[in-house]
Amino acid sequence: MNKQQIEKIANTFPTPLYVFDISTLQKRVAELKSALPAHVNLCFAVKANTFIIRELVDCIERFELCSPGEVNICESLSVPESKMVISGVNKTPAFIENLIQTKHEVGVYTVESMTQFRLLYDLAEKYRIKLPVLLRLTSGNQFGLNEDEIVDILQQYCNSPCLKFKGIQYFSGTQKQSLKRLKRELDYLDDFLLKLQSEYGFTAEELEFGPGLPVAYFLAESYDEAEYLKGFSELLDNMRFQTKITLELGRSIAASCGTYLTRVVDVKKNRRENYAILDGGIHHLVYYGQTMAMKIPKFQLLPQKPDEELQNWNLCGSLCTINDILVKQLPVRALHPGDLFAFETAGAYCMTEGISLFLSRALPTVVLLKDDKPILVRESKETYPINTPNYESEEL
């Protein structure tokens, strides 16, 4: 967003607030698709940002849903069932049975454990339908199945009338700036898929892969993304096992479209250090890799003050904890109440990972900027449903 758009939105809606620029979002999806091989589809992990789902429906092939809440959100936004990937390590029997009983057209279910496999199999048998599934291969953490478990499932149930095995899902982390690491992972998957085909007669129709493409959040960070995506595309094209590939992305799709606006509400000097108190804080602005506020995120400060000398300022939020520091020793012009900070690259995870309930402050406003028009999608309200006891209830 440019300076004029930021000022207009900040003067229309109360801070703190998030702004998600839809034109930037759609441009980002187009950039990714043009840089990646033609046989690659995109899947958006909705945990990254639930407010932009509707704007992605027509340009993203899939949506990764990891909770009943995310499913409800997508249903309310009319996301086609065929585009839904029902994922997550905790699939409760009641939730999955309700989906299977009422939604027979879900795109695919992931299998994270032998318990989940048995649940899906039994329910498919009960309702006499054939469920499409992806078997998630673990990368060495709490997610997914071991290789031998996948082999056992395929050997025993590959021709089952209850389950349609679509392929393998694999995810091992985020913010991967090393193409060598991605090559090792793809080589491993290549070998495993070829082994399943040659030794066990299973030919995967699809590989869903979470590459963890990096995002540069801080001023000191930079990398040649065009060269990176070119190298990654070559790795995908050079896989020996050729199949449809779906890349599960969240951060890489959504980060660039978001801006977080927060105003200075107080300034002070404590023991020769300049402090600015903002009406936002770390409960709203969460950058991956931010350590003790030592890194400087990309930002704009309005109004601009080109004629004033630079001073070092500690930017602190509104929470009653010494940890609520957004940036330490930031060199900017003298700050005053009312000054506006626009923190950029805040479109992914900031609004979903923050400790929003701490101090019971109101959730921030959310605005979409679409066709250069700001659209209010969530108004900030002073509501406290979690920690307000119902004293009128007969049973406490």
Side-chain angles (χ1 to χ4, degrees):
M1 293 194 303
N2 58 40
K3 172 178 174 292
Q4 290 74 25
Q5 290 172 321
I6 293 173
E7 289 181 328
K8 179 180 179 181
I9 290 173
N11 290 331
T12 304
F13 304 99
T15 57
L17 67 97
Y18 299 112
V19 185
F20 303 123
D21 188 339
I22 302 308
S23 64
T24 299
L25 174 67
Q26 293 172 340
K27 180 181 177 182
R28 176 60 180 168
V29 172
E31 288 173 348
L32 286 169
K33 289 196 168 188
S34 65
L36 294 167
H39 67 289
V40 171
N41 290 332
L42 298 184
C43 174
F44 179 61
V46 303
K47 63 181 179 286
N49 187 334
T50 56
F51 294 99
I52 59 175
I53 294 171
R54 178 176 288 168
E55 308 302 328
L56 290 171
V57 168
D58 293 332
C59 54
I60 293 292
E61 285 74 27
R62 277 190 179 163
F63 294 85
E64 189 95 0
L65 314 176
C66 296
S67 73
E70 291 182 348
V71 172
N72 290 336
I73 290 170
C74 284
E75 286 180 336
S76 69
L77 295 173
S78 300
V79 174
E81 295 167 12
S82 60
K83 290 193 171 191
M84 296 183 183
V85 181
I86 307 301
S87 192
V89 291
N90 181 17
K91 296 180 176 74
T92 63
F95 167 56
I96 296 300
E97 182 164 13
N98 180 66
L99 277 177
I100 292 174
Q101 185 179 17
T102 60
K103 306 289 183 183
H104 291 180
E105 302 300 325
V106 165
V108 67
Y109 294 82
T110 68
V111 177
E112 293 264 6
S113 68
M114 296 303 293
T115 301
Q116 286 191 8
F117 171 76
R118 178 51 59 184
L119 171 66
L120 291 168
Y121 184 89
D122 289 347
L123 288 173
E125 190 175 48
K126 176 180 178 179
Y127 290 101
R128 297 185 179 183
I129 60 174
K130 195 164 189 174
L131 292 182
V133 298
L134 289 170
L135 300 174
R136 180 164 184 174
L137 175 63
T138 186
S139 60
N141 46 38
Q142 73 267 40
F143 301 102
L145 297 153
N146 294 313
E147 288 185 27
D148 60 335
E149 291 175 315
I150 290 177
V151 169
D152 287 345
I153 288 173
L154 293 174
Q155 283 187 308
Q156 295 184 55
Y157 299 96
C158 194
N159 296 318
S160 166
C162 299
L163 299 177
K164 168 62 176 176
F165 296 97
K166 303 286 287 184
I168 300 298
Q169 184 190 56
Y170 186 83
F171 178 80
S172 67
T174 190
Q175 290 290 86
K176 300 173 190 169
Q177 297 195 27
S178 170
L179 284 174
K180 290 182 179 179
R181 179 180 174 184
L182 283 177
K183 184 179 186 305
R184 287 194 300 269
E185 293 182 357
L186 290 174
D187 286 346
Y188 167 62
L189 292 170
D190 221 356
D191 290 341
F192 185 60
L193 291 167
L194 287 169
K195 177 181 177 180
L196 292 179
Q197 183 180 57
S198 63
E199 297 185 20
Y200 304 103
F202 173 70
T203 301
E205 298 177 12
E206 176 183 355
L207 168 64
E208 182 176 299
F209 178 54
L213 300 182
V215 171
Y217 285 117
F218 306 106
L219 293 179
E221 294 179 343
S222 64
Y223 76 104
D224 189 337
E225 185 180 58
E227 192 65 25
Y228 183 94
L229 290 176
K230 179 183 177 183
F232 179 47
S233 296
E234 291 174 354
L235 293 177
L236 295 174
D237 278 333
N238 291 334
M239 291 183 70
R240 293 165 293 155
F241 187 89
Q242 288 294 307
T243 188
K244 183 177 78 173
I245 295 176
T246 300
L247 297 181
E248 185 259 295
L249 302 172
R251 194 182 311 276
S252 184
I253 288 174
S256 61
C257 79
T259 304
Y260 176 64
L261 305 183
T262 177
R263 289 191 186 277
V264 176
V265 294
D266 198 0
V267 294
K268 60 172 72 175
K269 178 172 286 191
N270 286 354
R271 295 187 177 181
R272 299 182 181 179
E273 295 261 338
N274 292 317
Y275 290 89
I277 308 300
L278 310 180
D279 57 10
I282 60 170
H283 52 323
H284 300 157
L285 191 66
V286 181
Y287 285 119
Y288 186 92
Q290 176 68 301
T291 304
M292 300 298 293
M294 299 303 293
K295 297 180 180 180
I296 300 177
K298 300 174 183 178
F299 74 96
Q300 296 185 55
L301 172 60
L302 301 174
Q304 296 175 345
K305 308 170 184 179
D307 297 330
E308 297 184 13
E309 292 184 3
L310 293 178
Q311 303 173 355
N312 287 332
W313 285 83
N314 300 306
L315 304 186
C316 303
S318 297
L319 304 181
C320 291
T321 168
I322 60 173
N323 296 319
D324 193 7
I325 306 178
L326 296 178
V327 190
K328 290 181 179 178
Q329 298 298 300
L330 178 68
V332 291
R333 316 298 176 181
L335 296 177
H336 305 279
D339 288 349
L340 179 70
F341 278 93
F343 290 98
E344 301 172 359
T345 324
Y349 294 106
C350 285
M351 75 300 303
T352 57
E353 284 191 339
I355 49 176
S356 302
L357 295 181
F358 187 59
L359 254 67
S360 297
R361 290 194 174 276
L363 295 175
T365 301
V366 177
V367 173
L368 297 185
L369 182 62
K370 188 172 183 179
D371 300 324
D372 291 325
K373 297 179 180 178
I375 302 169
L376 178 66
V377 296
R378 186 180 71 191
E379 184 178 2
S380 179
K381 294 182 179 179
E382 300 287 346
T383 55
Y384 320 105
I386 300 299
N387 57 359
T388 303
N390 182 8
Y391 290 110
E392 297 179 358
S393 174
E394 294 181 1
E395 296 182 5
L396 296 179

